Amino acid sequence: MATKEQIRQSLVASSIAYGPVPSRRLGRSLGINNIPPKICSYSCTYCQLGRTPRKEVVPRSINKTAKITQQVRTKLKQATDNGELVDYATFVPDGEPTLDANLGREIEVLKTLGVRVAVITNGSLLWRQDVRQNLRKADWVSLKVDAVSEQIWHMVNRPQKSLKLQTILQGILEFAQMFGGELATETMLVRGINDDLGEIKNIAKFLALLKPTKAYVAIPTRPPAERVMPASEQSINAAYQVFIETLSSVEYLIGYEGNTFACTGNFQEDLLSITAVHPMREEAVAEFLRNAGASWEIVQDLIKKRFLTELEYQGKKFYMRKLHGLGCQHF
Ligand code: SF4
């Protein structure tokens, strides 16, 4: 049984560092909360942390670098002692991580501990050179691109009033060109706000310039700040189809973190795992069935039980895992 001192140390360490927790994108990820709730440059309609009371855009020193790195060090040691692997230490705070002026230094110190570092950012401060320099030290960065049209950006991300979309997009582009690590993008689709095909096509054009390793199509999966609805399965599938025309790798991030692509030998489970990550064309499902020696009845049964849904895009049929249940929004 843990001693009182061990419990106390663990509580102190968990105020900033937590986990490791399983993450589909990052394997076993140790979360770092370097920003207290809720310091952010945006107040996204879908934010699970509620509205941002006072939006900020100037990075400042929030926690001492030593405090953060010490807490991560303690968590890493606990994980090693428990035989747990940690693939990434991930800055995924209750706000915007690049508002921490010491982020670059923190990343440098964490890398000396032998762990890869990831940052999940809204990208709104990348027009600042100091922010680009801090962020480029990470091994993996996810950038939010929910809109590229002024009006839609205001509706979905509700930015701090001095921010300018074109300046931000230019900063994001500059960052993508200079960054040597792995770049991912995340586009959160909200029904009736940014799920229109015209905006999705414009977002896809911009993402193509960034050449991300992977572009994620996401939907709000936790109770959001406002009464917004996730985009429909039809819109999510359309976004996937538009993105995949110009981007090398596109995946859904829609709340199913399970056995992605693990071949369990159970055809139904395998089909649901794959279609939780991207839609499958009718022909691909048919081939999958043939290889498994199974019949189309299984698909009909999954549709009937509301696990799978059939969609149409440009005259072709696609199959996608049906949306229900809540999952992790950021990881
Ligand atoms: S979702 Fe992220 S970027 Fe948007 S308001 Fe919440 S913390 Fe800020």
Side-chain angles (χ1 to χ4, degrees), residues 69 91 102-112 115 117 119 134-139:
T69 52
F91 287 85
N102 304 324
L103 181 66
R105 180 72 194 127
E106 287 153 14
I107 295 172
E108 276 172 356
V109 177
L110 293 180
K111 284 168 102 172
T112 66
V115 65
V117 179
V119 183
N134 277 344
L135 203 56
R136 74 182 304 188
K137 293 177 178 153
D139 299 288

Side-chain angles (χ1 to χ4, degrees), residues 74-229:
T74 305
K75 277 283 173 190
L76 279 174
K77 183 167 179 327
Q78 283 172 355
T80 313
D81 291 349
N82 293 337
E84 288 183 276
L85 284 177
V86 175
D87 298 299
Y88 277 95
T90 307
F91 287 85
V92 51
D94 290 338
E96 171 47 37
T98 61
L99 279 167
D100 175 1
N102 304 324
L103 181 66
R105 180 72 194 127
E106 287 153 14
I107 295 172
E108 276 172 356
V109 177
L110 293 180
K111 284 168 102 172
T112 66
L113 304 178
V115 65
R116 280 177 292 178
V117 179
V119 183
I120 298 179
T121 168
N122 67 20
S124 66
L125 304 176
L126 280 171
W127 49 275
R128 292 179 61 109
Q129 202 196 358
D130 55 348
V131 171
R132 290 198 296 275
Q133 292 303 338
N134 277 344
L135 203 56
R136 74 182 304 188
K137 293 177 178 153
D139 299 288
W140 186 97
V141 168
S142 170
L143 298 175
K144 182 189 290 300
V145 183
D146 293 340
V148 292
S149 310
E150 194 79 25
Q151 200 189 356
I152 298 176
W153 175 62
H154 274 278
M155 283 200 293
V156 68
N157 297 131
R158 300 189 297 193
Q160 196 267 2
K161 62 179 186 310
S162 70
L163 292 174
K164 303 269 178 293
L165 179 61
Q166 286 316 314
T167 319
I168 291 173
L169 296 179
Q170 186 55 35
I172 288 179
L173 189 54
E174 265 180 57
F175 177 74
Q177 285 163 353
M178 76 195 279
F179 183 51
E182 209 173 310
L183 185 73
T185 62
E186 187 179 317
T187 301
M188 188 76 84
L189 294 178
V190 181
R191 191 174 302 192
I193 298 186
N194 65 342
D195 61 343
D196 148 89
L197 199 56
E199 183 65 1
I200 286 171
K201 285 183 178 166
N202 289 335
I203 294 173
K205 267 191 219 152
F206 178 70
L207 295 184
L209 302 174
L210 308 182
K211 302 190 178 70
T213 318
K214 199 157 278 184
Y216 289 95
V217 175
I219 49 161
T221 52
R222 283 195 179 167
E226 312 296 339
R227 285 181 172 274
V228 291
M229 294 283 288

Side-chain angles (χ1 to χ4, degrees), residues 18 29-34 90-95 97 118-120 330-331:
Y18 59 92
S29 172
L30 200 145
I32 306 169
N33 202 348
N34 63 326
T90 307
F91 287 85
V92 51
D94 290 338
V119 183
I120 298 179
H330 271 126
F331 274 142

Side-chain angles (χ1 to χ4, degrees), residues 266-297:
N266 176 327
F267 171 75
Q268 299 187 17
E269 274 180 36
D270 291 345
L271 185 66
L272 291 177
S273 289
I274 296 170
T275 53
V277 178
H278 60 67
M280 279 176 89
R281 287 259 298 263
E282 189 175 22
E283 302 87 301
V285 176
E287 194 185 328
F288 202 67
L289 282 167
R290 259 196 313 279
N291 293 342
S295 77
W296 194 260
E297 273 172 33

Side-chain angles (χ1 to χ4, degrees), residues 11 14 19 123-124 152 173 182 202 244 250 254 256 262 281 329:
L11 286 176
S14 60
S124 66
I152 298 176
L173 189 54
E182 209 173 310
N202 289 335
I244 202 69
V250 183
I254 54 178
Y256 299 104
R281 287 259 298 263
Q329 193 127 305

